[in-house]
Amino acid sequence: MVDADRGSLFLVEGAAAGKKSLVSKFFDVHAGTPLLPCGSTENSSEVQVPWGKGIIGYVAEHGETVNIPDAYQDRRFNDEIDKLTGYKTKSLLCMPIRNSDGEIIGVAQAINKTPGGAPFSDDDEKVMQMYLPFCGIAISNAQLFAASRKEYDRSRALLEVVNDLFEEQTDLEKIVKKIMHRAQTLLKCERCSVLLLEDIESPVVKFTKSFELLSPKCSADTENSFKEGVEKSSSYSDWLINNSIAELVASTGLPVNISDAYQDPRFDAEADQIFGFHIRSVLCVPIWNSSHQIIGVAQVLNRLDGKPFDDADQRLFEAFVIFCGLGINNTIMYDQVKKSWAKQSVALDVLSYHATCSKAEVDKFKAANIPLVSELGIDDIHFDDFSLDVDAMITAALRMFMELGMVQKFKIDYETLCRWLLTVRKNYRMVLYHNWRHAFNVCQLMFAMLTTAGFQEILTEIEILALIVGCLCHDLDHRGTNNAFQAKSGSALAQLYGTSATLEHHHFNHAVMILQSEGHNIFANLSSKDYSDLMQLLKQSILATDLTLYFERRTEFFELVGKGGYDWNVKNHREIFRSMLMTACDLGAVTKPWEISRQAAELVTSEFFEQGDRERSELKLIPSAIFDRNRKDELPRLQLEWIDSICMPLYECLVKLNVKLKPMLDSVAKNRVLSVHFKRTLLQLAQR
């Protein structure tokens, strides 16, 4: 349109005034240039003109048209492009290109008017002035499309990053390598490194692990010299973890973007000489975990196109590193969990060895003659809780299993049963009351109630098995302190199970652990359904010994029995009944003859006093009356309240349900009378 021999197009790059420049891949377009010149490809060289320099820089800075008949006579003209192309510029018409907002986005240049080398005319200027606004629209649209395409590609790349990182969270080295590979792909850089902090809680920045990746797109010379430098130097790993720029980023939490490393005082130029790698630009950002703690830094060096990292690169890298932080943190946590699991596994293995019975003990009871029920007296509701020694209690428990037909019905291996009973005994601690003897006594009373009242005809065999096993296991690993103490002391048990039925959950889980130990599964021959049902019933039975649950459910039980509306075909009615049976057996010492009941009460009281002593010394609390040995004169009154509010209503209701249990209620009533008498005696003694 203007009869120019050649033309050039320069586009503005860089947002800030200090960073703007003019770049062209189309600086020598002529009649013989193909539609897609080699200059448009990514790998071709570019011509870059500083902002305000030369005629092109002047036009871009001032927005003026420049029409020169002889370029070499104008002091603003820079002949470097002529030298580069070998072409002689004479006349020159140069104009700015603006977008719809009036901003200069490029410069168009027409070179050498043809024919004859005359200068460009006023008409040529007018033609250019009319033509270039359309060029501005086209260029702006192309740039918007390219920017949106770039954002789309980057967003897609970030999604791929997320997929990569959360697909592999089991190996730290693998995930960091993926991170570095992705960083190089996203930012098109020569080198990437990740440095992880030794202690994220420490105010002193110290890196403990470093990872480095060189881009395969680096030139062969760069790659070889770098590898040779690393191999020759013994200090490369030390340099990585003592990188001053990385330390600055880790300590401040602020990214560092250096466009010219050698002009920055924070940069260690000596490292370049040692390792044979010339660093031009650096982008370093902190890596955060989900708790907003810095766990390391990620660093990229040298864009492949030779340009510094721009603001868009920094925003992308920071977004990318957010996902990296989550991935690294999850992997570290997974590693910690694995180590914790390994520690737990070892601990359980050790505990299992020390907490299980010996083969000699099993062989002894396996070969022993088991006395009959009548010889042991275990079918008596008024059985003497202190009549059997620890070994005799094992033989009596074996007799109960056999008498109830559970060994035959559920095909329980006899040796396994002996081993299981002995291990259960061994897993009760040597506390004053909640020990193996108490567990056996609760089981004995359950056996006596089942056989005396004929509950065997009402309950299923699975339910009976769950109740007997539940009684034997209901206080496993009891520590001699109650649920309230666990909560007040913030014990590991309270943290593990919460503050509701803390101990009861622990007793059940301990029972499961024993059952799962090798050679202890007495339920091994049950069908899958029976096993599942039994474990559910066992859990209900053990949790039922929490008095809080008893208070929650007893009103419904009392009302059902009082109205005569108990229906054994209703699942909920059966569950409540089993819960009440467990409580009745757990509190069963109060139903025994006075001397037995009093002896048990003394043991309970002593255990309570020990808890009170610990509350006073360890927790700095004043214990409630029942736990306070300094208020032991209040015990008779508390004992009466215990019988009247908790025990008596339960046994009265059970007798309404089955009159054969009346001897239990009679004993409770007698013990109440004797407690009153005992209280009066204590008062008289105190007065004397």
Side-chain angles (χ1 to χ4, degrees):
M1 290 189 291
V2 295
D3 294 322
D5 183 47
R6 301 196 175 201
S8 300
L9 173 64
F10 288 81
L11 298 181
V12 176
E13 286 193 0
K19 294 183 179 179
K20 281 186 179 181
S21 64
L22 293 139
V23 177
S24 176
K25 292 182 180 178
F26 305 93
F27 57 86
D28 192 22
V29 178
H30 52 84
T33 303
L35 186 61
L36 293 175
C38 61
S40 67
T41 62
E42 190 174 310
N43 295 324
S44 68
S45 59
E46 297 176 336
V47 172
Q48 188 165 356
V49 175
W51 191 258
K53 300 295 182 182
I55 291 175
I56 294 165
Y58 175 85
V59 170
E61 184 177 27
H62 295 90
E64 299 175 3
T65 297
V66 171
N67 188 348
I68 303 173
D70 188 348
Y72 280 84
Q73 298 303 313
D74 194 298
R75 61 182 177 77
R76 297 169 297 183
F77 179 69
N78 188 332
D79 65 351
E80 287 183 10
I81 295 176
D82 276 11
K83 291 176 181 177
L84 182 68
T85 60
Y87 182 77
K88 176 77 172 180
T89 300
K90 185 170 176 55
S91 56
L92 188 149
L93 176 59
C94 193
M95 284 188 177
I97 303 173
R98 301 177 185 271
N99 62 15
S100 57
D101 295 323
E103 296 173 344
I104 294 174
I105 60 171
V107 174
Q109 184 175 251
I111 304 168
N112 290 355
K113 176 80 172 179
T114 60
F120 290 99
S121 66
D122 292 342
D123 288 340
D124 293 331
E125 285 188 34
K126 289 177 183 177
V127 169
M128 286 279 279
Q129 284 172 349
M130 290 186 289
Y131 172 64
L132 290 183
F134 296 102
C135 297
I137 292 169
I139 290 169
S140 293
N141 289 344
Q143 287 176 333
L144 284 171
F145 178 79
S148 63
R149 180 72 191 184
K150 190 174 184 180
E151 286 304 313
Y152 170 79
D153 290 341
R154 288 184 169 190
S155 298
R156 186 181 180 87
L158 284 176
L159 287 174
E160 289 173 356
V161 166
V162 174
N163 181 64
D164 277 357
L165 297 181
F166 292 97
E167 191 179 64
E168 173 60 70
Q169 296 188 75
T170 59
D171 188 296
L172 184 62
E173 190 166 339
K174 284 182 181 178
I175 201 167
V176 172
K177 282 185 177 177
K178 279 191 173 186
I179 287 169
M180 293 190 296
H181 176 74
R182 280 288 180 188
Q184 287 185 340
T185 304
L186 282 173
L187 297 168
K188 298 179 174 57
C189 61
E190 293 183 356
R191 262 172 67 190
C192 180
S193 58
V194 170
L195 291 84
L196 300 181
L197 288 171
E198 183 177 64
D199 181 4
I200 63 174
E201 303 289 348
S202 173
V204 179
V205 173
K206 185 177 180 183
F207 297 109
T208 183
K209 288 185 178 179
S210 60
F211 305 88
E212 184 86 8
L213 187 65
L214 194 68
S215 171
K217 292 186 179 180
C218 281
S219 67
D221 291 341
T222 299
E223 184 178 359
N224 291 336
S225 61
F226 176 64
K227 287 181 178 178
E228 287 173 8
V230 172
E231 288 171 4
K232 288 177 182 177
S233 175
S234 59
S235 60
Y236 179 68
S237 59
D238 292 336
W239 175 81
L240 268 180
I241 63 174
N242 290 292
N243 186 326
S244 58
I245 293 174
E247 288 174 355
L248 176 67
V249 171
S251 61
T252 63
L254 300 173
V256 167
N257 189 349
I258 301 172
S259 57
D260 188 347
Y262 279 79
Q263 298 302 313
D264 195 292
R266 297 167 294 185
F267 177 68
D268 181 10
E270 187 181 349
D272 269 19
Q273 298 164 6
I274 295 172
F275 307 120
F277 185 91
H278 182 73
I279 296 175
R280 300 184 304 274
S281 53
V282 179
L283 177 56
C284 187
V285 300
I287 302 173
W288 306 85
N289 64 14
S290 56
S291 302
H292 206 64
Q293 295 172 298
I294 296 175
I295 59 174
V297 297
Q299 181 175 264
V300 286
L301 305 174
N302 295 3
R303 270 179 44 164
L304 288 169
D305 60 7
K307 297 178 182 178
F309 296 103
D310 56 27
D311 293 338
D313 292 328
Q314 184 172 321
R315 289 195 301 273
L316 175 64
F317 198 33
E318 287 175 322
F320 166 75
V321 167
I322 290 172
F323 298 110
C324 297
L326 293 173
I328 290 171
N329 189 57
N330 288 351
T331 307
I332 291 171
M333 288 176 65
Y334 175 83
D335 189 52
Q336 290 171 345
V337 169
K338 273 204 312 182
K339 288 178 181 176
S340 297
W341 179 87
K343 287 179 182 177
Q344 184 186 33
S345 181
V346 171
L348 284 174
D349 187 46
V350 172
L351 285 173
S352 176
Y353 177 80
H354 291 287
T356 54
C357 61
S358 66
K359 185 178 183 303
E361 287 180 301
V362 177
D363 291 342
K364 170 187 168 183
F365 284 96
K366 183 181 175 183
N369 290 320
I370 308 301
L372 298 174
V373 170
S374 57
E375 296 176 62
L376 294 164
I378 53 176
D379 58 343
D380 185 0
I381 282 176
H382 292 146
F383 172 80
D384 183 352
D385 289 354
F386 301 97
S387 61
L388 301 179
D389 63 26
V390 289
D391 283 352
M393 285 187 277
I394 295 290
T395 57
L398 287 167
R399 173 52 65 190
M400 285 188 273
F401 272 87
M402 291 186 286
E403 193 69 20
L404 291 169
M406 291 185 287
V407 175
Q408 299 85 353
K409 168 64 182 174
F410 298 108
K411 299 182 176 61
I412 300 174
D413 179 74
Y414 190 70
E415 182 178 336
T416 301
L417 180 60
C418 293
R419 185 180 297 108
W420 176 79
L421 279 169
L422 288 163
T423 296
V424 166
R425 180 180 75 178
K426 195 169 184 180
N427 279 266
Y428 274 92
R429 299 194 180 198
M430 299 296 287
V431 294
L432 290 169
Y433 181 73
H434 290 96
N435 49 37
W436 163 245
R437 181 172 295 280
H438 167 67
F440 170 79
N441 289 335
V442 172
C443 183
Q444 179 278 322
L445 188 54
M446 179 66 76
F447 175 79
M449 290 176 72
L450 290 172
T451 54
T452 299
F455 290 137
Q456 284 176 282
E457 299 172 9
I458 296 171
L459 298 171
T460 66
E461 290 166 321
I462 287 281
E463 287 176 312
I464 292 170
L465 179 60
L467 288 170
I468 292 295
V469 172
C471 287
L472 289 169
C473 296
H474 84 281
D475 272 333
L476 271 170
D477 196 46
H478 199 291
R479 282 91 189 282
T481 51
N482 63 7
N483 283 330
F485 183 86
Q486 307 306 319
K488 284 184 275 190
S489 63
S491 69
L493 289 178
Q495 292 177 41
L496 182 60
Y497 299 111
T499 55
S500 176
T502 301
L503 288 168
E504 288 71 28
H505 278 100
H506 178 59
H507 303 324
F508 170 70
N509 285 347
H510 204 90
V512 172
M513 185 188 76
I514 292 173
L515 285 166
Q516 290 178 342
S517 298
E518 187 176 354
H520 289 78
N521 189 2
I522 57 174
F523 306 146
N525 292 319
L526 270 67
S527 67
S528 177
K529 183 182 183 308
D530 284 348
Y531 185 87
S532 177
D533 291 344
L534 177 62
M535 294 307 291
Q536 187 64 33
L537 291 169
L538 178 60
K539 185 173 185 178
Q540 289 173 2
S541 299
I542 293 175
L543 294 185
T545 59
D546 177 19
L547 281 180
T548 304
L549 186 62
Y550 162 67
F551 281 116
E552 287 176 3
R553 309 204 70 174
R554 74 174 190 170
T555 302
E556 184 180 359
F557 178 66
F558 294 168
E559 288 177 355
L560 284 169
V561 173
K563 293 175 181 177
Y566 224 87
D567 187 346
W568 299 109
N569 295 316
V570 177
K571 182 180 178 182
N572 184 51
H573 290 195
R574 298 176 73 88
E575 184 180 332
I576 294 174
F577 173 67
R578 292 194 307 271
S579 295
M580 295 301 121
L581 276 184
M582 288 297 299
T583 302
C585 294
D586 196 19
L587 307 180
V590 76
T591 70
K592 300 299 176 76
W594 170 251
E595 284 303 320
I596 300 169
S597 180
R598 185 179 62 80
Q599 192 175 346
E602 287 175 355
L603 289 172
V604 173
T605 301
S606 297
E607 188 174 283
F608 282 0
F609 284 167
E610 286 194 358
Q611 174 176 319
D613 293 342
R614 289 185 63 186
E615 288 182 8
R616 185 177 281 107
S617 63
E618 296 175 19
L619 307 181
K620 310 303 178 188
L621 298 173
I622 298 174
S624 56
I626 199 168
F627 296 97
D628 193 346
R629 66 173 71 252
N630 297 332
R631 298 166 66 184
K632 59 185 176 184
D633 55 313
E634 298 181 41
L635 281 178
R637 175 182 61 80
L638 295 170
Q639 177 71 7
L640 287 176
E641 289 177 2
W642 170 264
I643 293 173
D644 290 343
S645 63
I646 296 175
C647 303
M648 189 70 80
L650 174 59
Y651 296 111
E652 285 175 343
C653 196
L654 285 171
V655 170
K656 288 179 184 177
L657 196 63
N658 192 310
V659 72
K660 293 179 181 179
L661 298 178
K662 192 170 184 300
M664 296 177 72
L665 181 61
D666 293 341
S667 289
V668 177
K670 287 179 183 177
N671 288 335
R672 188 190 186 284
V673 172
L674 289 168
S675 292
V676 173
H677 176 71
F678 185 60
K679 177 183 177 182
R680 288 174 183 162
T681 303
L682 285 175
L683 287 171
Q684 290 170 359
L685 288 170
Q687 289 169 354
R688 289 177 190 173

